[in-house]
Amino acid sequence: MISALSNNKIKIALSLILLLILLLAPTLLSEFRLSLLGKFLAYAVLAMGLDLIWGYTGILSLGHGVYFGLGAYCMAMHLKLAASGSQLPDFMSWSGVEQLPAFWLPFHSAGFTLLLALLVPMLVAFALGYLTFRNRIRGSFFSILSQALVIITVTLFVGQQGYTGGTNGLTNFDTFLGWKLGEASTKLTFYYITVAVVAIALVLCLWLASSRLGKILVAIRDAENRVRFIGFDPVAYKVFIYCVSAGLAGVAGVLFVLQEGIISPAQMGIVPSIEMVLWVALGGRATVVGAIIGAVLTNAAKTTFSEAYPEWWPILMGAMFIVVTLFLPRGIVGTLKDRLEHWTRRSEVQAAAALKTAVSPPLGFTDLELEKPQ
């Protein structure tokens, strides 16, 4: 009970400190650095969803780049139509497409675009999750299947040059809901919107993790067969949380496109999908807050190393992951929680020992001797 209360206090404290830092960041960073931080926070939304399925449920997905890319492409299609006006998007004209494809038409609406950016990743996740979890495919086999989904999706998007922009993807956007995307005020607005979405996603994930659902997810992670034997259906819970995770990845894709101004198949490939798992591992599995910290720190380190050491940065990144794995196997936040719990238990033991000493009778006297009449 005390440990659970301590964990909740740690999560709340870290969350408040983190949000305060993010709100003050515009006063401390340049416009370029603030734009980078906004992009990293978009990644953090995805990382929190990934932590729900990997850290709490034990589902290792190596294909979350697909869900991120689907959400990003939905928003990019709307932005491209807005930039093209009444004409066909430029890449379609170059590819010989003479008429706007029917599946592009709904993306004229910004509201419908946001809805699709959430629903399309969730529907794909539902199809994959239901078919695999129902057949009790899990562990490394599910991870391999998720990577196969990445290969299929990337190949499809690259091959359909006239409909998706091919290898180059979608870019050259101008406005969103009347806001000029290149203006500093618009970038600042999108940054605060991203912080707000991070806060909402954080509250949602913490609530799910601490609820009865979260306890069942942890039970599925630790002993799925036992959960099934006591009357719960692990398939339903796993499919549900997998869809929630995919939806958060889609939202992250929307935020990414609004701030970065481009999306291509390369950003939803195997390597980015594996990096997403590393964000959660670095921050700490089953911590939620750690997913945010891991996503921001990993990408900040990647940017810093690539700027300072353009030839050596992949080696430095690999060394960083090795060091974290060896010395912080529970991640940054996980290790911090373990240390604080250890110190709390030790202080409680010391306090109990001191109290016992204070109320104990003097050495050499027993209770019976103290009660003898004089």
Side-chain angles (χ1 to χ4, degrees):
M1 181 67 179
I2 295 176
S3 177
L5 291 174
S6 177
N7 283 339
N8 290 333
K9 289 179 180 179
I10 293 171
K11 290 178 181 178
I12 294 173
L14 286 175
S15 301
L16 293 177
I17 293 172
L18 186 60
L19 289 175
L20 180 61
I21 293 172
L22 295 179
L23 291 174
L24 294 176
T27 63
L28 305 173
L29 301 177
S30 65
E31 181 181 331
F32 173 71
R33 297 297 174 186
L34 187 66
S35 177
L36 285 178
L37 179 57
K39 182 176 71 172
F40 301 160
L41 291 177
Y43 290 148
V45 176
L46 182 150
M48 284 187 279
L50 191 57
D51 192 26
L52 284 180
I53 63 169
W54 185 35
Y56 287 92
T57 319
I59 303 171
L60 177 57
S61 172
L62 299 179
H64 254 51
V66 169
Y67 308 125
F68 173 81
L70 289 174
Y73 264 94
C74 286
M75 176 52 64
M77 291 164 73
H78 170 73
L79 296 176
K80 194 66 177 177
L81 289 174
S84 302
S86 59
Q87 298 178 346
L88 277 177
D90 48 15
F91 69 90
M92 290 186 181
S93 301
W94 301 336
S95 302
V97 177
E98 299 180 354
Q99 186 177 0
L100 188 68
F103 69 89
W104 272 72
L105 295 177
F107 295 98
H108 280 291
S109 168
F112 202 64
T113 295
L114 293 174
L115 181 62
L116 287 176
L118 178 66
L119 292 182
V120 170
M122 294 180 73
L123 289 174
V124 175
F126 176 82
L128 177 65
Y130 181 74
L131 292 175
T132 54
F133 300 146
R134 187 188 64 174
N135 291 291
R136 301 190 183 182
I137 297 174
R138 56 185 179 180
S140 58
F141 298 102
F142 177 82
S143 300
I144 293 171
L145 282 176
S146 65
Q147 284 206 324
L149 176 65
V150 173
I151 295 173
I152 294 170
T153 306
V154 170
T155 302
L156 177 64
F157 275 68
V158 170
Q160 299 299 317
Q161 171 91 26
Y163 303 111
T164 63
T167 305
N168 297 325
L170 302 179
T171 187
N172 296 327
F173 312 132
D174 296 327
T175 62
F176 176 66
L177 297 178
W179 294 333
K180 296 290 185 180
L181 297 181
E183 293 183 356
S185 59
T186 301
K187 293 180 179 179
L188 182 61
T189 300
F190 285 152
Y191 171 79
Y192 280 122
I193 290 174
T194 304
V195 172
V197 173
V198 169
I200 294 171
L202 176 61
V203 171
L204 173 65
C205 292
L206 288 176
W207 174 71
L208 289 174
S210 61
S211 66
R212 180 172 177 268
L213 170 66
K215 294 178 175 60
I216 296 175
L217 295 178
V218 172
I220 291 173
R221 179 195 66 189
D222 296 338
E224 183 174 339
N225 287 332
R226 290 188 179 182
V227 173
R228 183 178 291 108
F229 291 153
I230 61 177
F232 291 97
D233 181 13
V235 174
Y237 289 96
K238 292 169 72 173
V239 170
F240 171 77
I241 204 65
Y242 189 57
C243 290
V244 170
S245 180
L248 289 173
V251 172
V254 170
L255 297 171
F256 173 84
V257 168
L258 288 174
Q259 297 178 93
E260 189 70 4
I262 186 174
I263 184 63
S264 68
Q267 292 162 308
M268 54 194 294
I270 291 178
V271 173
S273 297
I274 295 175
E275 287 182 352
M276 293 167 186
V277 175
L278 295 176
W279 303 340
V280 179
L282 180 69
R285 291 175 57 190
T287 60
V288 181
V289 179
I292 302 176
I293 295 174
V296 173
L297 286 184
T298 303
N299 286 283
K302 184 177 180 179
T303 300
T304 302
F305 291 155
S306 62
E307 290 176 349
Y309 310 100
E311 297 180 357
W312 293 93
W313 73 266
I315 297 175
L316 294 174
M317 287 295 294
M320 183 183 74
F321 289 129
I322 291 173
V323 169
V324 170
T325 302
L326 291 177
F327 297 101
L328 301 174
R330 293 255 300 148
I332 296 172
V333 176
T335 302
L336 177 61
K337 285 173 58 179
D338 290 345
R339 295 297 182 187
L340 289 176
E341 288 176 6
H342 173 72
W343 293 334
T344 301
R345 286 195 298 268
R346 187 172 64 178
S347 62
E348 289 174 353
V349 170
Q350 291 174 348
L355 180 62
K356 182 178 180 181
T357 302
V359 300
S360 297
L363 185 63
F365 290 90
T366 66
D367 293 340
L368 292 176
E369 289 173 333
L370 291 173
E371 293 175 0
K372 287 180 179 178
Q374 299 296 328

